[in-house]
Amino acid sequence: MSTKKDGIMVILSSPSGAGKTTIVKLLSKNKNFYISTSHTTREPRSSEVADKDYYFVNHEKFEKLIKNEEFLEYAKVFKHLYGTTRTPVIEKLEKGENVIFDIDWQGADQIKNKKLNYKLITFFILPPSREVLFERLSNRDMKDKLIVEERMKEFSRDVLHWINYDYVIVNDNLDECYFKINNLIEAEINNGSKDYDKDYIRKHVNKLTS
Ligand code: 5GP
């Protein structure tokens, strides 16, 4: 049963390179959100810490978690499996803690369709332009041109899912983007007025996809 004291769930999704990870960390630091740690079958990157950034597991272990119905959601993203286990999330929500998820549109759809008794707010973060996205992806740890091209193609497909989110935010400035998300979360919690222009977003998506 949901009560007023339950925590809320916030999902942040974005095509790769739109700047979501930094925003998730800011929300966790400034607003005390618990970051849901996912399981994945992909290899850790050099900067990543096991059991903090991800639980890195092999296929066998991941399949076992699926079989035991431990996932709240899971999906295949860029050839690897990613999933959120149910128990830690529900435990936090029941204690009144807010939980933030950095997951893709497939996971967001699954959680949305579960219609859990906790408030859910979903955000989709977009880059200001295809050129900026290309630059961001090229400057990352992806020296491989093929990977950048693959992610640009993936972007064109991912962006079409913007329509299923509560809010779409354009990240041309990290502080402003965080500020907007923060204000919308506050407005959602307190039933306040929301500064959000869906028409502008529709035009921006058209620009990104044309
Ligand atoms: P990366 O490998 O770059 O950390 O993440 C690749 C993509 O997988 C990102 O879009 C990220 O949001 C998504 N992702 C990470 N964890 C999960 C998860 O548990 N479930 C789903 N559905 N997607 C995830």
Side-chain angles (χ1 to χ4, degrees):
M1 249 307 264
S2 174
T3 68
K4 249 190 147 163
K5 284 201 193 99
D6 285 338
I8 65 162
M9 301 189 284
V10 170
I11 295 180
L12 252 68
S13 301
S14 75
S16 193
K20 166 192 49 175
T21 314
T22 319
I23 292 163
V24 168
K25 286 188 178 151
L26 277 173
L27 281 171
S28 156
K29 195 170 143 229
N30 300 343
K31 292 186 76 70
N32 220 7
F33 267 90
Y34 166 78
I35 304 175
S36 163
T37 304
S38 299
H39 284 69
T40 182
T41 57
R42 85 151 160 74
E43 292 294 317
R45 298 186 184 124
S46 56
S47 58
E48 287 175 328
V49 180
D51 302 344
K52 186 171 171 279
D53 292 303
Y54 281 107
Y55 297 111
F56 295 99
V57 295
N58 58 24
H59 265 267
E60 204 186 343
K61 168 86 183 164
F62 202 97
E63 295 293 341
K64 205 168 166 187
L65 291 167
I66 296 176
K67 206 170 148 226
N68 293 344
E69 296 183 359
E70 291 196 43
F71 285 120
L72 189 58
E73 63 75 33
Y74 70 92
K76 195 170 191 183
V77 189
F78 301 128
K79 302 181 192 131
H80 302 291
L81 291 164
Y82 295 81
T84 309
T85 45
R86 182 191 318 266
T87 310
V89 171
I90 302 295
E91 273 177 10
K92 293 285 174 192
L93 291 168
E94 286 191 347
K95 271 198 240 159
E97 287 183 48
N98 300 329
V99 181
I100 189 156
F101 304 82
D102 172 348
I103 61 177
D104 85 329
W105 63 269
Q106 304 173 82
D109 272 0
Q110 289 174 42
I111 293 186
K112 213 168 131 185
N113 290 337
K114 288 233 155 83
K115 298 196 189 323
L116 302 172
N117 262 325
Y118 304 97
K119 185 167 180 62
L120 171 66
I121 316 169
T122 60
F123 292 94
F124 196 56
I125 300 170
L126 288 178
S129 66
R130 290 185 75 89
E131 292 72 26
V132 169
L133 178 69
F134 184 81
E135 228 170 83
R136 283 184 191 162
L137 288 173
S138 307
N139 289 340
R140 259 186 171 186
D141 53 341
M142 295 172 206
K143 289 170 189 87
D144 192 336
K145 269 198 169 156
L146 270 179
I147 296 180
V148 176
E149 275 170 27
E150 213 175 88
R151 298 230 159 175
M152 287 301 292
K153 274 194 206 140
E154 196 81 34
F155 167 74
S156 303
R157 290 191 290 269
D158 281 358
V159 78
L160 303 175
H161 297 279
W162 73 278
I163 199 79
N164 294 330
Y165 285 78
D166 296 325
Y167 302 105
V168 179
I169 312 289
V170 180
N171 179 13
D172 34 12
N173 173 298
L174 202 66
D175 289 337
E176 272 174 34
C177 183
Y178 169 71
F179 187 70
K180 280 184 197 160
I181 292 174
N182 189 31
N183 284 353
L184 286 165
I185 293 174
E186 287 301 320
E188 281 277 351
I189 294 173
N190 302 315
N191 265 327
S193 66
K194 295 160 193 100
D195 181 12
Y196 184 65
D197 183 352
K198 200 164 182 177
D199 235 29
Y200 163 77
I201 293 298
R202 199 177 287 278
K203 283 183 195 139
H204 187 73
V205 172
N206 282 341
K207 203 177 75 186
L208 286 172
T209 49
S210 61

